[in-house]
Amino acid sequence: MHSFTEETSQLGEAILKYAADRLALDPVPLDAPRTASELESVAGGAISAQGMGGQAALRLFEDELALACLSTDHPRYLSFIPCAPTREAAMFDLVVGASSIYGGSWLEGAGAVYAENQALRWIANLAGLPESAGGAFVQGGTIGNLSALVAARASARARNNTRPFRVAATVGSHSSIQSACEVMDADLVQVPVDENLRLTGDNLRKAILEHGPETFFAVVATAGTTNLGIIDDLQSVADVCEEFGIWFHVDGAYGGAGLAAPSVRDKYAGVERADSFIVDPHKWLFAPFDCCALLYREPALARAAHTQHASYLDVLTEAPDWNPTDYSIGLTRRARGLPFWFSLVANGTDAYTEAIEHTLSIARFAAAQIEQRPYLELVREPDLSVVVFRRAGWNPKDYQAWSDKLLEEQSAFVVPTSHNGETLARFAVVNPNTSTEDIAAILDSME
């Protein structure tokens, strides 16, 4: 099965054609999930002793399984945080998969690591991090946040010869922060937010003094919360972290991409003081799943925390080379930053700024439309490209029925959310193909 035959060649052509046809779709179909029993009826027993052959397997995926997967790059997929990769990034993902590149060490993947580091440098420059900053691309924000917090705790213990066990964040921080604390057996202190729902230095200082500064090893601020798109007061939070000597981590998994947009860049003041920072290119920087950029102000601190030691790894760990696996949880890794790098090189960074600014303008349009319609009410002015609003007179069942109908009609995918116990509607606009007409049509459906 590892030889290249005429049948392999034909299968390769068919797969390339499938990929090319999918990339050429404009717009893509929304599609919808199916039940397990429905999928069992068409794909049950697909894995067999003899196999069905590549062409038949491709047809099974194309005709049945693919149709049961929502297209996250559909312009009216506005739930969660969509993924809308550029054609160049999606195409190059095929190259990465076909090239059998191990992206964990410089020895084995120097060209790939060099390219990934170029992409990381662009992000570091956007954030205003020093030339010494560096890191790696990891699977997603959950692993990025966990890896940063592991480095923060290791650094605090090495510096103070103590065992701090607390992390400060807000209730609006991503669920992965709570998850990371559970994995690390650390305590999460939820700091109250201000009237603008932001983490501020004043509230942070009170919480730290209440629990004891010596017990904290990290503070997590968010640059664009997932649910409401809120950017914390990064400058005042950085002041308090500096005051108490606590690691300052900024989670920009969704919102960090806004650093490339001049119209909102001032909202991120203070991010340049972060000890660690993440942003997911598969969210608002138009890369395919899965890709999170993890950066450290002082990478040596992360390397001390994450480098794995074993006799068979001596050739790597004793060399001065930049090995991405030294900066995060995990050893084996694909070169997941390459599709993002390729798209940056192919399109130029100005195109990224233009695309992000366009999505911001669509979000502002949505907010304006909501305010003009008497049956809708904006919950708050959007900081970035997440827009949250309510429909007058609706209860949770009404929101769900509306959402279900949109998907059933293949009109849009917009699931409800909640805030302070209230069910609400929410748009997450990160796809440059989302238009004002798309937004208006969805809002019309709520009248």
Side-chain angles (χ1 to χ4, degrees), residues 340-363:
F340 174 53
W341 168 86
F342 184 79
S343 183
L344 278 174
V345 172
N347 291 297
T349 59
D350 285 352
Y352 276 75
T353 293
E354 180 181 348
I356 293 168
E357 289 285 16
H358 174 71
T359 57
L360 287 165
S361 71
I362 295 296

PDB file of all heavy atoms in Angstrom, residues 340-363:
ATOM      1  N   PHE A 340      -0.242  29.491   6.853  1.00  0.00           N
ATOM      2  CA  PHE A 340      -0.366  30.910   7.197  1.00  0.00           C
ATOM      3  C   PHE A 340       0.796  31.702   6.604  1.00  0.00           C
ATOM      4  O   PHE A 340       0.605  32.766   5.995  1.00  0.00           O
ATOM      5  CB  PHE A 340      -0.421  31.050   8.717  1.00  0.00           C
ATOM      6  CG  PHE A 340      -0.412  32.459   9.223  1.00  0.00           C
ATOM      7  CD1 PHE A 340      -1.330  33.390   8.759  1.00  0.00           C
ATOM      8  CD2 PHE A 340       0.509  32.859  10.181  1.00  0.00           C
ATOM      9  CE1 PHE A 340      -1.322  34.697   9.232  1.00  0.00           C
ATOM     10  CE2 PHE A 340       0.516  34.153  10.670  1.00  0.00           C
ATOM     11  CZ  PHE A 340      -0.396  35.084  10.185  1.00  0.00           C
ATOM     12  N   TRP A 341       2.011  31.192   6.769  1.00  0.00           N
ATOM     13  CA  TRP A 341       3.189  31.852   6.197  1.00  0.00           C
ATOM     14  C   TRP A 341       3.051  32.005   4.682  1.00  0.00           C
ATOM     15  O   TRP A 341       3.315  33.080   4.125  1.00  0.00           O
ATOM     16  CB  TRP A 341       4.448  31.047   6.523  1.00  0.00           C
ATOM     17  CG  TRP A 341       5.654  31.473   5.756  1.00  0.00           C
ATOM     18  CD1 TRP A 341       6.527  32.466   6.074  1.00  0.00           C
ATOM     19  CD2 TRP A 341       6.128  30.924   4.503  1.00  0.00           C
ATOM     20  NE1 TRP A 341       7.506  32.575   5.116  1.00  0.00           N
ATOM     21  CE2 TRP A 341       7.288  31.643   4.136  1.00  0.00           C
ATOM     22  CE3 TRP A 341       5.681  29.900   3.671  1.00  0.00           C
ATOM     23  CZ2 TRP A 341       7.995  31.361   2.975  1.00  0.00           C
ATOM     24  CZ3 TRP A 341       6.384  29.621   2.513  1.00  0.00           C
ATOM     25  CH2 TRP A 341       7.535  30.355   2.173  1.00  0.00           C
ATOM     26  N   PHE A 342       2.622  30.941   4.022  1.00  0.00           N
ATOM     27  CA  PHE A 342       2.513  30.959   2.565  1.00  0.00           C
ATOM     28  C   PHE A 342       1.518  32.026   2.113  1.00  0.00           C
ATOM     29  O   PHE A 342       1.774  32.780   1.160  1.00  0.00           O
ATOM     30  CB  PHE A 342       2.080  29.589   2.050  1.00  0.00           C
ATOM     31  CG  PHE A 342       2.026  29.486   0.552  1.00  0.00           C
ATOM     32  CD1 PHE A 342       3.184  29.304  -0.191  1.00  0.00           C
ATOM     33  CD2 PHE A 342       0.811  29.584  -0.121  1.00  0.00           C
ATOM     34  CE1 PHE A 342       3.133  29.215  -1.583  1.00  0.00           C
ATOM     35  CE2 PHE A 342       0.752  29.492  -1.504  1.00  0.00           C
ATOM     36  CZ  PHE A 342       1.916  29.306  -2.237  1.00  0.00           C
ATOM     37  N   SER A 343       0.390  32.117   2.809  1.00  0.00           N
ATOM     38  CA  SER A 343      -0.609  33.112   2.444  1.00  0.00           C
ATOM     39  C   SER A 343      -0.098  34.531   2.680  1.00  0.00           C
ATOM     40  O   SER A 343      -0.354  35.441   1.874  1.00  0.00           O
ATOM     41  CB  SER A 343      -1.894  32.874   3.239  1.00  0.00           C
ATOM     42  OG  SER A 343      -2.900  33.776   2.856  1.00  0.00           O
ATOM     43  N   LEU A 344       0.635  34.734   3.791  1.00  0.00           N
ATOM     44  CA  LEU A 344       1.236  36.043   4.044  1.00  0.00           C
ATOM     45  C   LEU A 344       2.200  36.434   2.925  1.00  0.00           C
ATOM     46  O   LEU A 344       2.187  37.571   2.441  1.00  0.00           O
ATOM     47  CB  LEU A 344       1.987  36.030   5.373  1.00  0.00           C
ATOM     48  CG  LEU A 344       1.201  36.242   6.666  1.00  0.00           C
ATOM     49  CD1 LEU A 344       2.128  36.046   7.863  1.00  0.00           C
ATOM     50  CD2 LEU A 344       0.570  37.626   6.708  1.00  0.00           C
ATOM     51  N   VAL A 345       3.030  35.499   2.532  1.00  0.00           N
ATOM     52  CA  VAL A 345       4.021  35.768   1.486  1.00  0.00           C
ATOM     53  C   VAL A 345       3.335  36.021   0.152  1.00  0.00           C
ATOM     54  O   VAL A 345       3.711  36.925  -0.602  1.00  0.00           O
ATOM     55  CB  VAL A 345       5.021  34.594   1.388  1.00  0.00           C
ATOM     56  CG1 VAL A 345       5.937  34.764   0.175  1.00  0.00           C
ATOM     57  CG2 VAL A 345       5.854  34.492   2.663  1.00  0.00           C
ATOM     58  N   ALA A 346       2.314  35.219  -0.144  1.00  0.00           N
ATOM     59  CA  ALA A 346       1.638  35.319  -1.444  1.00  0.00           C
ATOM     60  C   ALA A 346       0.806  36.591  -1.559  1.00  0.00           C
ATOM     61  O   ALA A 346       0.813  37.253  -2.607  1.00  0.00           O
ATOM     62  CB  ALA A 346       0.759  34.087  -1.667  1.00  0.00           C
ATOM     63  N   ASN A 347       0.085  36.940  -0.492  1.00  0.00           N
ATOM     64  CA  ASN A 347      -0.865  38.047  -0.577  1.00  0.00           C
ATOM     65  C   ASN A 347      -0.316  39.382  -0.099  1.00  0.00           C
ATOM     66  O   ASN A 347      -0.811  40.437  -0.512  1.00  0.00           O
ATOM     67  CB  ASN A 347      -2.121  37.718   0.236  1.00  0.00           C
ATOM     68  CG  ASN A 347      -2.946  36.613  -0.391  1.00  0.00           C
ATOM     69  OD1 ASN A 347      -3.459  36.755  -1.486  1.00  0.00           O
ATOM     70  ND2 ASN A 347      -3.050  35.486   0.301  1.00  0.00           N
ATOM     71  N   GLY A 348       0.691  39.342   0.774  1.00  0.00           N
ATOM     72  CA  GLY A 348       1.209  40.576   1.354  1.00  0.00           C
ATOM     73  C   GLY A 348       0.396  40.993   2.563  1.00  0.00           C
ATOM     74  O   GLY A 348      -0.806  40.733   2.656  1.00  0.00           O
ATOM     75  N   THR A 349       1.037  41.646   3.510  1.00  0.00           N
ATOM     76  CA  THR A 349       0.376  41.985   4.762  1.00  0.00           C
ATOM     77  C   THR A 349      -0.670  43.085   4.606  1.00  0.00           C
ATOM     78  O   THR A 349      -1.614  43.157   5.397  1.00  0.00           O
ATOM     79  CB  THR A 349       1.407  42.405   5.814  1.00  0.00           C
ATOM     80  OG1 THR A 349       2.154  43.533   5.332  1.00  0.00           O
ATOM     81  CG2 THR A 349       2.375  41.265   6.104  1.00  0.00           C
ATOM     82  N   ASP A 350      -0.538  43.934   3.569  1.00  0.00           N
ATOM     83  CA  ASP A 350      -1.558  44.964   3.350  1.00  0.00           C
ATOM     84  C   ASP A 350      -2.923  44.339   3.088  1.00  0.00           C
ATOM     85  O   ASP A 350      -3.958  44.882   3.494  1.00  0.00           O
ATOM     86  CB  ASP A 350      -1.180  45.863   2.172  1.00  0.00           C
ATOM     87  CG  ASP A 350      -0.075  46.851   2.514  1.00  0.00           C
ATOM     88  OD1 ASP A 350       0.288  46.947   3.706  1.00  0.00           O
ATOM     89  OD2 ASP A 350       0.430  47.510   1.588  1.00  0.00           O
ATOM     90  N   ALA A 351      -2.931  43.195   2.407  1.00  0.00           N
ATOM     91  CA  ALA A 351      -4.187  42.518   2.114  1.00  0.00           C
ATOM     92  C   ALA A 351      -4.854  42.035   3.397  1.00  0.00           C
ATOM     93  O   ALA A 351      -6.095  42.024   3.501  1.00  0.00           O
ATOM     94  CB  ALA A 351      -3.947  41.344   1.171  1.00  0.00           C
ATOM     95  N   TYR A 352      -4.047  41.648   4.378  1.00  0.00           N
ATOM     96  CA  TYR A 352      -4.598  41.222   5.664  1.00  0.00           C
ATOM     97  C   TYR A 352      -5.234  42.405   6.391  1.00  0.00           C
ATOM     98  O   TYR A 352      -6.333  42.289   6.948  1.00  0.00           O
ATOM     99  CB  TYR A 352      -3.502  40.580   6.514  1.00  0.00           C
ATOM    100  CG  TYR A 352      -3.313  39.118   6.178  1.00  0.00           C
ATOM    101  CD1 TYR A 352      -2.667  38.747   5.005  1.00  0.00           C
ATOM    102  CD2 TYR A 352      -3.805  38.130   7.005  1.00  0.00           C
ATOM    103  CE1 TYR A 352      -2.511  37.411   4.671  1.00  0.00           C
ATOM    104  CE2 TYR A 352      -3.660  36.789   6.680  1.00  0.00           C
ATOM    105  CZ  TYR A 352      -3.014  36.439   5.509  1.00  0.00           C
ATOM    106  OH  TYR A 352      -2.885  35.115   5.177  1.00  0.00           O
ATOM    107  N   THR A 353      -4.546  43.531   6.387  1.00  0.00           N
ATOM    108  CA  THR A 353      -5.108  44.727   7.005  1.00  0.00           C
ATOM    109  C   THR A 353      -6.437  45.101   6.352  1.00  0.00           C
ATOM    110  O   THR A 353      -7.430  45.398   7.033  1.00  0.00           O
ATOM    111  CB  THR A 353      -4.120  45.896   6.897  1.00  0.00           C
ATOM    112  OG1 THR A 353      -2.974  45.616   7.702  1.00  0.00           O
ATOM    113  CG2 THR A 353      -4.757  47.200   7.362  1.00  0.00           C
ATOM    114  N   GLU A 354      -6.469  45.070   5.038  1.00  0.00           N
ATOM    115  CA  GLU A 354      -7.686  45.430   4.308  1.00  0.00           C
ATOM    116  C   GLU A 354      -8.832  44.477   4.643  1.00  0.00           C
ATOM    117  O   GLU A 354      -9.976  44.906   4.862  1.00  0.00           O
ATOM    118  CB  GLU A 354      -7.402  45.414   2.798  1.00  0.00           C
ATOM    119  CG  GLU A 354      -8.600  45.784   1.946  1.00  0.00           C
ATOM    120  CD  GLU A 354      -8.286  45.743   0.458  1.00  0.00           C
ATOM    121  OE1 GLU A 354      -7.092  45.646   0.102  1.00  0.00           O
ATOM    122  OE2 GLU A 354      -9.239  45.803  -0.345  1.00  0.00           O
ATOM    123  N   ALA A 355      -8.532  43.170   4.688  1.00  0.00           N
ATOM    124  CA  ALA A 355      -9.576  42.182   4.957  1.00  0.00           C
ATOM    125  C   ALA A 355     -10.127  42.327   6.372  1.00  0.00           C
ATOM    126  O   ALA A 355     -11.343  42.239   6.598  1.00  0.00           O
ATOM    127  CB  ALA A 355      -9.027  40.770   4.745  1.00  0.00           C
ATOM    128  N   ILE A 356      -9.250  42.546   7.349  1.00  0.00           N
ATOM    129  CA  ILE A 356      -9.695  42.692   8.729  1.00  0.00           C
ATOM    130  C   ILE A 356     -10.504  43.980   8.892  1.00  0.00           C
ATOM    131  O   ILE A 356     -11.542  43.995   9.560  1.00  0.00           O
ATOM    132  CB  ILE A 356      -8.489  42.653   9.686  1.00  0.00           C
ATOM    133  CG1 ILE A 356      -7.862  41.255   9.665  1.00  0.00           C
ATOM    134  CG2 ILE A 356      -8.902  43.004  11.112  1.00  0.00           C
ATOM    135  CD1 ILE A 356      -6.511  41.165  10.338  1.00  0.00           C
ATOM    136  N   GLU A 357     -10.051  45.057   8.280  1.00  0.00           N
ATOM    137  CA  GLU A 357     -10.809  46.302   8.338  1.00  0.00           C
ATOM    138  C   GLU A 357     -12.199  46.128   7.713  1.00  0.00           C
ATOM    139  O   GLU A 357     -13.193  46.687   8.198  1.00  0.00           O
ATOM    140  CB  GLU A 357     -10.055  47.430   7.626  1.00  0.00           C
ATOM    141  CG  GLU A 357      -8.812  47.919   8.351  1.00  0.00           C
ATOM    142  CD  GLU A 357      -9.130  48.802   9.566  1.00  0.00           C
ATOM    143  OE1 GLU A 357     -10.280  48.798  10.040  1.00  0.00           O
ATOM    144  OE2 GLU A 357      -8.210  49.500  10.025  1.00  0.00           O
ATOM    145  N   HIS A 358     -12.281  45.332   6.655  1.00  0.00           N
ATOM    146  CA  HIS A 358     -13.578  45.098   6.013  1.00  0.00           C
ATOM    147  C   HIS A 358     -14.528  44.383   6.969  1.00  0.00           C
ATOM    148  O   HIS A 358     -15.709  44.770   7.074  1.00  0.00           O
ATOM    149  CB  HIS A 358     -13.406  44.279   4.738  1.00  0.00           C
ATOM    150  CG  HIS A 358     -14.704  43.888   4.101  1.00  0.00           C
ATOM    151  ND1 HIS A 358     -15.529  44.791   3.472  1.00  0.00           N
ATOM    152  CD2 HIS A 358     -15.345  42.687   4.028  1.00  0.00           C
ATOM    153  CE1 HIS A 358     -16.609  44.173   3.018  1.00  0.00           C
ATOM    154  NE2 HIS A 358     -16.520  42.896   3.347  1.00  0.00           N
ATOM    155  N   THR A 359     -14.053  43.364   7.669  1.00  0.00           N
ATOM    156  CA  THR A 359     -14.932  42.651   8.602  1.00  0.00           C
ATOM    157  C   THR A 359     -15.366  43.576   9.743  1.00  0.00           C
ATOM    158  O   THR A 359     -16.504  43.483  10.214  1.00  0.00           O
ATOM    159  CB  THR A 359     -14.250  41.398   9.171  1.00  0.00           C
ATOM    160  OG1 THR A 359     -13.013  41.761   9.814  1.00  0.00           O
ATOM    161  CG2 THR A 359     -13.943  40.391   8.070  1.00  0.00           C
ATOM    162  N   LEU A 360     -14.481  44.458  10.166  1.00  0.00           N
ATOM    163  CA  LEU A 360     -14.859  45.429  11.186  1.00  0.00           C
ATOM    164  C   LEU A 360     -15.955  46.365  10.683  1.00  0.00           C
ATOM    165  O   LEU A 360     -16.880  46.725  11.425  1.00  0.00           O
ATOM    166  CB  LEU A 360     -13.633  46.239  11.621  1.00  0.00           C
ATOM    167  CG  LEU A 360     -12.612  45.491  12.483  1.00  0.00           C
ATOM    168  CD1 LEU A 360     -11.289  46.265  12.532  1.00  0.00           C
ATOM    169  CD2 LEU A 360     -13.149  45.273  13.890  1.00  0.00           C
ATOM    170  N   SER A 361     -15.879  46.751   9.433  1.00  0.00           N
ATOM    171  CA  SER A 361     -16.906  47.629   8.868  1.00  0.00           C
ATOM    172  C   SER A 361     -18.243  46.898   8.762  1.00  0.00           C
ATOM    173  O   SER A 361     -19.310  47.516   8.959  1.00  0.00           O
ATOM    174  CB  SER A 361     -16.472  48.152   7.493  1.00  0.00           C
ATOM    175  OG  SER A 361     -16.489  47.124   6.517  1.00  0.00           O
ATOM    176  N   ILE A 362     -18.205  45.604   8.476  1.00  0.00           N
ATOM    177  CA  ILE A 362     -19.436  44.814   8.425  1.00  0.00           C
ATOM    178  C   ILE A 362     -20.053  44.722   9.814  1.00  0.00           C
ATOM    179  O   ILE A 362     -21.278  44.815   9.990  1.00  0.00           O
ATOM    180  CB  ILE A 362     -19.169  43.417   7.847  1.00  0.00           C
ATOM    181  CG1 ILE A 362     -18.718  43.500   6.386  1.00  0.00           C
ATOM    182  CG2 ILE A 362     -20.408  42.530   7.972  1.00  0.00           C
ATOM    183  CD1 ILE A 362     -19.753  44.059   5.443  1.00  0.00           C
ATOM    184  N   ALA A 363     -19.215  44.539  10.842  1.00  0.00           N
ATOM    185  CA  ALA A 363     -19.722  44.487  12.218  1.00  0.00           C
ATOM    186  C   ALA A 363     -20.350  45.823  12.607  1.00  0.00           C
ATOM    187  O   ALA A 363     -21.402  45.857  13.264  1.00  0.00           O
ATOM    188  CB  ALA A 363     -18.593  44.123  13.176  1.00  0.00           C
TER     189      ALA A 363
END
